[in-house]
Amino acid sequence: MVTALKAAVIGTGVISKEHLSFLERSERANLVGVCDLSKISARYAAELA
């Protein structure tokens, strides 16, 4: 049995969309957090994933 990697995205800039998309599709990783200086941006990015 393979344990899934727990991942977090730090920063919600342009490249974060690629990271979030990958993590959403990955069977080997679970998104456990998103953070950014802007709470609104972080919340929005977390809801997309």
Side-chain angles (χ1 to χ4, degrees), residues 27 37 48:
E27 295 178 7
L37 291 175
L48 290 178

Side-chain angles (χ1 to χ4, degrees), residues 10-32:
I10 300 172
T12 57
V14 175
I15 195 68
S16 70
K17 291 175 182 64
E18 295 295 325
H19 295 148
L20 292 167
S21 176
F22 171 81
L23 291 169
E24 183 178 29
R25 295 187 317 268
S26 177
E27 295 178 7
R28 295 185 175 189
N30 292 325
L31 180 65
V32 296

